[in-house]
Amino acid sequence: MNIVALVKQVPGTDNVKMNPETGTMVRTGKDNVINPLDENALTEALRIKQQTTGTTVTAVSMGPQTAEKALKEAIALGADEGILLSSRAFAGADTIATARVLAAAVKKLENVSMILCGERATDGETGQTGPMVAAMLGIPVVTFVKEINVGENTAIVIRIVENGYEKVEIPYPFMATVVKDINEPGFPTLSGKVQARETLVKVWSEEELGLPKNELGLTGSPTRVVKIFSPKLARDTRILKHDGSGNAVGILVKLLQEKKRNCIKGCGK
């Protein structure tokens, strides 16, 4: 069994930067981390590898050269190899253009039985890329997965739904997007770190994937961010001190009544 774990590098929660001209996220920061839910996906792939003879795990990431760090971490945790999809042509890609590149990479790998990724990324929060990859590959997809039990020809998957859980039998190959409840990510071993240092991360561009540039990056993205702005917070603060006279309470009641009248007028009532 060959499993592909899609691993995305995202900015730390306090280090998100946007390009105001293109409306895209700046991904060249040094403080980038592996998307937490993708860590769960990788951990699940490695668990299946340990329990299923002959299973290999390939970690795949799309991003700038700095994303190689995420793949090295994946190898240190137990992945057999890492593949970085990197090119200037990929810059500024939306979820559709990103899924197009990832799907092409999976096709190039061949004989993939299972693709795992987090159900969303902490930067975009769209949850669209995994299902789009499956659609472009023409394979079934199951989302919000909390448990995977592999069989010979099918897998039994338990997913979270609004009112509980749903058990699904799904044939290979398939895509699964996982939730954090599926497992608890571990830590790399010393031997894993040595393996990661010695393993060469492959780099594929649009040439290796056979993709035309007009379908990639910002050019190939049908969705655009048209405006970026920071919300303005305005607070009118008044401090009323209690002096025992009861005046503060009276002022507060009067203030609330005034605000209520203004609200009614503003609502057109």
Side-chain angles (χ1 to χ4, degrees), residues 49-220:
K49 174 186 173 181
Q50 292 176 349
Q51 297 181 355
T52 310
T53 304
T55 296
T56 61
V57 175
T58 302
V60 176
S61 183
M62 173 180 153
Q65 196 63 42
T66 53
E68 181 179 343
K69 177 184 175 183
L71 295 171
K72 286 286 188 179
E73 290 181 30
I75 295 171
L77 288 166
D80 296 282
E81 65 174 337
I83 298 174
L84 175 61
L85 311 176
S86 185
S87 170
R88 294 183 68 87
F90 300 161
D94 67 355
T95 53
I96 295 176
T98 299
R100 187 175 291 125
V101 174
L102 294 172
V106 174
K107 286 181 181 178
K108 185 176 174 65
L109 287 169
E110 298 181 344
N111 299 319
V112 174
S113 303
M114 191 187 310
I115 310 167
L116 301 179
C117 68
E119 55 94 2
R120 58 183 170 81
T122 57
D123 53 1
E125 298 277 351
T126 65
Q128 297 173 349
T129 303
M132 284 183 180
V133 170
M136 292 178 181
L137 292 172
I139 62 175
V141 58
V142 59
T143 55
F144 300 100
V145 174
K146 69 176 290 290
E147 185 178 327
I148 300 175
N149 299 291
V150 298
E152 185 176 351
N153 299 311
T154 62
I156 303 297
V157 174
I158 298 177
R159 62 188 297 263
I160 297 176
V161 293
E162 186 174 357
N163 297 318
Y165 303 105
E166 183 179 62
K167 182 181 287 188
V168 180
E169 183 176 9
I170 189 166
Y172 305 116
F174 68 87
M175 156 71 77
T177 67
V178 308
V179 297
K180 66 178 182 179
D181 296 335
I182 195 169
N183 54 44
E184 187 69 33
F187 298 94
T189 61
L190 178 59
S191 60
K193 290 183 178 181
V194 172
Q195 181 68 26
R197 179 175 295 183
E198 295 177 349
T199 301
L200 178 66
V201 172
K202 299 177 183 178
V203 181
W204 291 349
S205 65
E206 67 274 16
E207 284 83 7
E208 284 81 6
L209 298 175
L211 293 172
K213 289 187 177 182
N214 64 339
E215 295 182 358
L216 306 173
L218 197 61
T219 303

